[in-house]
Amino acid sequence: MINWRALTKRIPSRVQVSRKSFYEICYVDAFVDKDVLGETRFDRKQIVLKDDQPHKEKVHTYLHELLHAVSEEYEVNLTETQVRALEKAIYYMLKSDNVFRKPKK
Ligand SMILES: [Zn+2]
């Protein structure tokens, strides 16, 4: 089981995307378009998240926007459909004791 609440608290204020690219994580009460949960601002290198959303949603929105930032920085040109698919895959990549096993004691 994932503790989504604990995970949202671990979202940093800044994330490194490439050797020279850092994105600031910002929060807003709401976007002009009420359906929008997150936004990546490439010009200012910001990932902006709607603050008021369930913890699980917030983590997924963060990972989703992070993928948009990765797509931009590495010139991958991912489509929205591809970002949505990878958003699901990245969860498994980050899952502990999965891609890397736990360190031996
Ligand atoms: Zn998107």
Side-chain angles (χ1 to χ4, degrees), residues 30-48:
F31 289 98
V32 177
D33 179 346
K34 302 282 181 220
D35 296 330
V36 175
L37 299 175
E39 180 177 280
T40 305
R41 297 171 181 161
F42 305 115
D43 52 339
R44 285 190 271 173
K45 296 201 189 297
Q46 288 180 331
I47 288 173
V48 188

Side-chain angles (χ1 to χ4, degrees), residues 38-40 61 64-65 68 79-81 83-84 87:
E39 180 177 280
T40 305
T61 305
H64 180 101
E65 297 309 325
H68 278 301
T79 64
E80 187 62 21
T81 307
V83 166
R84 286 204 184 120
E87 178 193 323

Side-chain angles (χ1 to χ4, degrees), residues 12-25:
S13 55
R14 197 175 82 135
V15 61
Q16 185 171 20
V17 173
S18 68
R19 199 162 67 86
K20 288 182 179 173
S21 297
F22 293 84
Y23 279 68
E24 182 186 16
I25 321 299

Side-chain angles (χ1 to χ4, degrees), residues 4 12 17 23 35 37 52 56 66 93 96-98:
W4 298 103
V17 173
Y23 279 68
D35 296 330
L37 299 175
D52 181 25
K56 184 178 178 179
L66 192 55
M93 291 186 217
S96 67
D97 200 21
N98 186 36

Side-chain angles (χ1 to χ4, degrees), residues 89-102:
I90 200 172
Y91 163 79
Y92 292 99
M93 291 186 217
L94 295 173
K95 197 173 177 218
S96 67
D97 200 21
N98 186 36
V99 174
F100 293 102
R101 61 187 183 196
K102 282 183 185 146

